[in-house]
Amino acid sequence: MLSVPTLWTVFVANFLALGLIWAYVARSYPKFVAARFWMGSAFVGVAGAMAALLRLFIDSPVPIVVGAAGIIAACCLAAMGIQRFYDRPVSWRLMSATTMLSIAAILVFLLGFDQVQLRMVSYTLGQAVPLVLALPLLLSPPEGRVSPGARLSAIVILTMIGMFVVRTAGNLLGYDFSAQGGGQVHGFLVLVLLFLSMTLNFGFLLMAMDRLRAEVADLALLDDLTGVANRRHLLQRLTEECARSERSGAPFSLLVIDLDGFKAINDTHGHAAGDACLQHFTLMAQTRLRPGDMLARTGGDEFCVVLPSSSLREAATIARRVLEVCRQDAEACTGSEIPIAISIGVAQWDRGIGEFPDRLMANADHALYAAKKNGKNDFAVYDPSPPLSPEPICRGEAARNFG
């Protein structure tokens, strides 16, 4: 025999524990905003469950209304947490309107017209609507990959909606599945709701773990000082681009950039000033890159830029843009500001490079050496084929033979 008071007591204890877990997550990871909504959902659900427990012993409409309001608000907060998890704006107005309309309908069919079936329909809609609105984000997330936690949460929500449909149909057919009706059917529905609600929170926890694991993986691929990709990430990307070009024959290019006189900046102005120069250069360079281009810091004052689907001519154009923005910034420096000068080597993938990114980096390094030898604050492109006759080297424009 299912004891409804015992089930609601278990509901309160379990959701109190879940609320404390989400509170710890929210405190430990302040930027993880979804945790705050899921924490609120658990604690508000506790309040609703406690009111539902009291209405079994108190003959008053107050526990009924408070309990319904708590459960509906918990569903709204859970749905809002899903929206914030996927960086979607939440509508407090919509969720408040959903809760208020449901409670208003419950009051009408409780105090105005005592209709248990219609009251249960209003209660069910208040729970189901916010979850249905959040369901598409779980089934088709913006990043295109459904995580295991999101898949579990979607399955649970669909199951809950199915349970709501069955409960609503039963009430409309004349069966009283409410707390006032009592009976084993109501106890079974409370048990199913308890199980599904806990499983939904476990799905949220899996989503949080997957997100935090992805953030840790991203941090392992980023440079601490500048926030751009690090050498490890660069080598991964170059390996992927080389393999793609080997299959398709489509070109891509690489820029190798070095800050001229960076050691003198550190020696004269200190390492803090040198770090500021690296950060400032990163910001300037990113303004001249295209979506899809990847800027990486490979160490010290050395940077690389991966230019997918770009020919040598297109790469030279990008190099010229980065060089010009640095020159313009240096000309605008006054007083104690430190001008930044750079040299750039440009190289393009070819069949001889194959799937070996180190060969491409070596070619770009040869071009960088030529740019520095030519007076610095310039760029040069790598051309593996020697010219048919000697030609003058034009500053920053002509290809060079570095064989």
Side-chain angles (χ1 to χ4, degrees):
M1 298 292 288
L2 294 174
S3 171
V4 175
T6 301
L7 290 174
W8 280 113
T9 302
V10 173
F11 192 104
V12 170
N14 283 323
F15 271 76
L16 185 60
L18 286 171
L20 293 174
I21 292 172
W22 283 121
Y24 181 80
V25 174
R27 179 182 176 82
S28 302
Y29 305 96
K31 294 183 180 180
F32 188 50
V33 182
R36 303 175 196 172
F37 286 93
W38 291 332
M39 174 188 68
S41 175
F43 284 137
V44 171
V46 167
M50 292 177 65
L53 184 61
L54 288 175
R55 71 185 180 184
L56 298 175
F57 306 99
I58 299 177
D59 186 15
S60 169
V62 175
I64 297 177
V65 176
V66 173
I71 299 299
I72 292 172
C75 292
C76 290
L77 289 170
M80 294 165 76
I82 295 173
Q83 292 171 333
R84 289 302 300 135
F85 181 84
Y86 290 108
D87 297 321
R88 295 297 178 88
V90 297
S91 175
W92 286 96
R93 183 177 301 176
L94 176 62
M95 296 303 177
S96 299
T98 300
T99 303
M100 292 174 64
L101 287 175
S102 298
I103 297 303
I106 290 173
L107 287 171
V108 168
F109 297 120
L110 176 65
L111 302 178
F113 307 94
D114 190 8
Q115 294 287 335
V116 176
Q117 289 79 9
L118 294 179
R119 187 165 70 241
M120 288 299 296
V121 170
S122 303
Y123 174 56
T124 299
L125 287 175
Q127 293 174 276
V129 168
L131 296 176
V132 170
L133 292 176
L135 187 59
L137 289 174
L138 296 173
L139 297 174
S140 182
E143 63 267 20
R145 184 183 69 88
V146 180
S147 67
R151 187 179 296 110
L152 175 61
S153 300
I155 292 172
V156 171
I157 289 177
L158 288 171
T159 305
M160 293 176 71
I161 293 171
M163 188 199 74
F164 292 156
V165 171
V166 171
R167 185 175 68 181
T168 301
N171 282 311
L172 292 177
L173 291 175
Y175 299 98
D176 188 359
F177 292 159
S178 66
Q180 289 181 332
Q184 290 300 294
V185 175
H186 175 68
F188 175 76
L189 291 177
V190 173
L191 178 63
V192 172
L193 177 63
L194 171 62
F195 172 77
L196 292 177
S197 299
M198 291 184 61
T199 307
L200 180 61
N201 273 271
F202 286 131
F204 292 160
L205 284 171
L206 287 175
M207 290 167 62
M209 291 171 59
D210 187 68
R211 169 67 59 82
L212 295 174
R213 184 166 52 247
E215 290 181 356
V216 170
D218 289 341
L219 288 175
L221 298 175
L222 296 179
D223 176 60
D224 292 337
L225 177 63
T226 60
V228 299
N230 58 17
R231 185 178 183 84
R232 178 183 176 187
H233 195 184
L234 172 70
L235 292 176
Q236 289 182 1
R237 179 65 179 274
L238 283 177
T239 301
E240 294 171 0
E241 292 294 337
C242 285
R244 185 179 297 112
S245 294
E246 182 74 7
R247 292 191 303 268
S248 65
F252 80 96
S253 297
L254 176 70
L255 307 183
V256 173
I257 305 173
D258 189 75
L259 272 64
D260 297 330
F262 185 71
K263 184 178 183 302
I265 294 176
N266 278 333
D267 293 342
T268 305
H269 302 280
H271 289 280
D275 290 347
C277 286
L278 293 173
Q279 294 169 334
H280 185 56
F281 165 74
T282 299
L283 296 175
M284 288 193 296
Q286 288 175 322
T287 64
R288 295 301 183 265
L289 300 181
R290 307 162 303 179
D293 297 341
M294 190 184 80
L295 175 64
R297 182 186 177 209
T298 55
D301 60 337
E302 298 174 356
F303 292 82
C304 286
V305 181
V306 181
L307 303 172
S309 303
S310 299
S311 66
L312 197 62
R313 181 183 295 274
E314 292 169 328
T317 300
I318 299 296
R320 187 182 297 111
R321 292 175 183 172
V322 175
L323 186 63
E324 286 301 320
V325 73
C326 291
R327 287 174 175 173
Q328 293 170 7
D329 183 77
E331 292 174 358
C333 286
T334 58
S336 60
E337 295 176 336
I338 304 172
I340 297 175
I342 61 172
S343 296
I344 307 176
V346 186
Q348 177 185 310
W349 178 91
D350 58 32
R351 289 292 184 184
I353 292 171
E355 298 186 13
F356 301 97
D358 55 321
R359 297 177 181 176
L360 179 61
M361 295 181 69
N363 292 346
D365 279 333
H366 280 299
L368 174 64
Y369 175 77
K372 285 185 171 295
K373 188 177 179 180
N374 200 39
K376 300 184 179 180
N377 197 22
D378 199 358
F379 79 94
V381 297
Y382 178 83
D383 186 356
S385 59
L388 297 178
S389 59
E391 295 178 358
I393 297 177
C394 296
R395 180 179 174 84
E397 299 292 339
R400 295 168 173 84
N401 174 21
F402 307 120

